[in-house]
Amino acid sequence: MQLLEEGAITFEIDGAFYNPKMKLNRDICVAMASVLGLGEYIDALSASGIRGMRVARESGVRKVTLNDVSPAAVALIQKNLARNDLNCEATCRNANALMHERHFQAVDLDPFGSPSPFLAAASRSALSYLFITATDTAPLCGAHLKSGVRKYLATPLRTDYHREMGARVLLGLAARELARLDKGMQPLLTHVTDHYVRVYLRVKKGAKAADECLSSMGYLEHCLNCGCFAMREEQRLEGTCHHCKDKTTLAGPLWLGKIHEKDIIRSALQRFDKESRAGRLLEICTAEEDVPFYYDHHSICERLNITPGRIDDVVQLLRESGHRASRTHFCGLGIKTDAPIAEVEEASKAEKTPSRIIKKNLFFAPKT
Ligand SMILES: C[S@@+](CC[C@H](N)C(=O)[O-])C[C@H]1O[C@@H](n2cnc3c(N)ncnc32)[C@H](O)[C@@H]1O
Ligand SMILES: [Zn+2]
């Protein structure tokens, strides 16, 4: 039997699923649970129980439930709880049945692949917060189109900003699942890291909140020729790019509202060393402009046939011309801005200093 340590927990895995690469995801989860001052939390798909145990010990959440459908996993969870002297509830249920029967203040879904099969029950169960991980980035981001449409009832599009596309497809499904139950949502933190999407949602009760939330849903019109994009309220069958006049392609329905609550992320950030991976990720999230999608600096330069300069200088030029502009955690080469593509192109041309270092993307796998 091998004993492992993560955060303040010593545990064994003994055949249950455990992915050490998800430690960052769990570190941030613990910080968010503390900042939100949760009283009750369910790790609905627990495996070894590491996530829920960390939330109980490190965030001080009083009532934590750890659930898994596998009896072997639940036996392991019980052993791990005893080893850590934790008094959490361990249940061996199909998460969907349990979440249909019981309400929890905060519900956390961390499944294999897509959370879609659990979203209806989780939306019913969650009273105040819903946290979701999705590791099926291929359907979410547009690489597996049909599977994306089946799982998320939305048409994704594989573009330069596919990582954010995945986040907004997932947020869009959550918004619609909650709305069916007269609930609305407010995304508190959204991050796409390695090969997963993670969202933290505040759940708001009432038809008004649901209606407001649905008004943040919409479509994205994208030009595959020049990379220009625009948000649309309605679904259109055909469109023309206002920049290059080529035909456009539509993605959606997507969540087009805000994806971060900066004050909450700043409070979570206090719990990390600024140089740690979680610290750097949250720092970028607090600094990124909350506008949908981004331009890829190198793609713009490639189309213009110019050598890319420093992204920070292009961002600065856009700001100086009165636009909102920032880097983004979604992609090391991304520029988030409310400026039209023509101005991003001009700023890229004006910026002549060659990159001394093309900043390696610290959080993500290389662009494929
Ligand atoms: C990816 S693992 C969870 C990892 C864990 N949250 C962590 O941070 O280490 C998914 C778990 O969901 C469980 N599972 C799959 N389907 C389930 C269902 N319908 N109800 C409850 N648990 C389920 C599996 O047995 C597995 O242990
Ligand atoms: Zn175009």
Side-chain angles (χ1 to χ4, degrees):
M1 184 245 319
Q2 192 196 355
L3 274 185
L4 301 174
E5 286 191 5
E6 190 186 294
I9 299 294
T10 305
F11 66 116
E12 53 186 286
I13 46 174
D14 192 23
F17 178 86
Y18 170 67
N19 183 356
K21 288 197 186 136
M22 281 292 204
K23 178 176 178 294
L24 173 76
N25 181 322
R26 289 183 286 268
D27 287 346
I28 293 175
C29 175
V30 165
M32 289 295 282
S34 309
V35 165
L36 298 173
L38 305 184
E40 192 188 29
Y41 167 95
I42 178 169
D43 179 3
L45 309 150
S46 271
S48 68
I50 180 61
R51 183 178 294 266
M53 289 191 292
R54 287 195 59 191
V55 167
R57 167 84 3 106
E58 296 169 47
S59 315
V61 179
R62 228 173 6 90
K63 257 185 102 194
V64 171
T65 302
L66 308 174
N67 177 69
D68 203 285
V69 75
S70 149
V74 177
L76 179 70
I77 289 170
Q78 275 158 344
K79 257 170 112 179
N80 282 333
L81 285 171
R83 177 181 302 282
N84 288 280
D85 201 17
L86 277 167
N87 186 21
C88 303
E89 180 188 21
T91 53
C92 187
R93 300 287 312 280
N94 182 318
N96 278 328
L98 179 65
M99 292 187 294
H100 269 293
E101 285 168 13
R102 285 174 59 181
H103 292 293
F104 297 89
Q105 187 199 10
V107 172
D108 200 332
L109 295 180
D110 180 36
F112 294 128
S114 176
S116 171
F118 302 103
L119 263 180
S123 301
R124 181 175 297 281
S125 181
L127 294 175
S128 310
Y129 299 101
L130 179 54
F131 307 158
I132 312 166
T133 304
T135 56
D136 58 333
T137 45
L140 271 173
C141 299
H144 296 163
L145 180 73
K146 282 192 174 172
S147 159
V149 173
R150 284 198 309 276
K151 296 259 166 12
Y152 295 97
L153 307 174
T155 307
L157 189 64
R158 191 163 171 78
T159 58
D160 280 343
Y161 47 84
H162 61 272
R163 301 178 70 85
E164 186 168 340
M165 171 73 62
R168 290 184 183 275
V169 165
L170 174 63
L171 287 166
L173 184 65
R176 286 174 290 159
E177 288 287 0
L178 287 161
R180 292 195 304 133
L181 303 163
D182 283 348
K183 290 176 175 179
M185 69 176 209
Q186 176 189 19
L188 304 176
L189 167 64
T190 302
H191 67 98
V192 180
T193 307
D194 300 329
H195 291 288
Y196 64 88
V197 179
R198 176 75 169 162
V199 298
Y200 294 83
L201 312 174
R202 191 194 300 282
V203 174
K204 296 172 164 186
K205 260 199 268 175
K208 196 165 163 253
D211 290 344
E212 252 173 48
C213 208
L214 289 181
S215 72
S216 291
M217 296 292 299
Y219 294 83
L220 174 91
E221 197 175 343
H222 179 89
C223 173
L224 290 163
N225 183 44
C226 75
C228 180
F229 57 81
M231 279 14 103
R232 302 285 174 224
E233 278 182 24
E234 307 284 328
Q235 191 164 13
R236 290 183 179 183
L237 289 181
E238 279 198 355
T240 308
C241 171
H242 65 79
H243 188 54
C244 75
K245 310 295 175 223
D246 206 344
K247 262 176 73 176
T248 54
T249 312
L250 209 69
L254 308 168
W255 174 260
L256 297 178
K258 285 178 67 185
I259 59 168
H260 294 316
E261 275 311 308
K262 302 278 177 74
D263 288 348
I264 288 173
I265 304 176
R266 267 184 220 107
S267 305
L269 180 57
Q270 304 294 315
R271 297 182 55 98
F272 295 103
D273 177 345
K274 286 226 163 158
E275 293 310 311
S276 67
R277 198 173 171 219
R280 284 178 294 153
L281 170 60
L282 294 185
E283 178 94 54
I284 301 182
C285 288
T286 61
E288 74 186 7
E289 290 289 352
D290 209 337
V291 292
F293 304 112
Y294 52 89
Y295 295 100
D296 183 294
H297 180 49
H298 282 193
S299 295
I300 293 229
C301 294
E302 208 172 286
R303 278 191 291 265
L304 296 173
N305 206 12
I306 57 174
T307 311
R310 295 183 62 236
I311 302 185
D312 285 336
D313 295 345
V314 179
V315 167
Q316 189 55 31
L317 279 175
L318 290 168
R319 284 190 186 152
E320 282 165 13
S321 54
H323 291 290
R324 292 168 68 187
S326 71
R327 305 285 294 266
T328 170
H329 89 279
F330 285 113
C331 172
L333 299 174
I335 299 173
K336 272 190 170 290
T337 181
D338 58 1
I341 191 168
E343 291 198 40
V344 183
E345 289 179 348
E346 284 314 306
S348 302
K349 283 187 217 157
E351 200 299 303
K352 296 267 167 32
T353 330
S355 300
R356 268 154 296 172
I357 315 157
I358 293 179
K359 256 200 178 167
K360 251 199 125 184
N361 192 330
L362 295 164
F363 301 114
F364 314 118
K367 204 179 139 204
T368 49

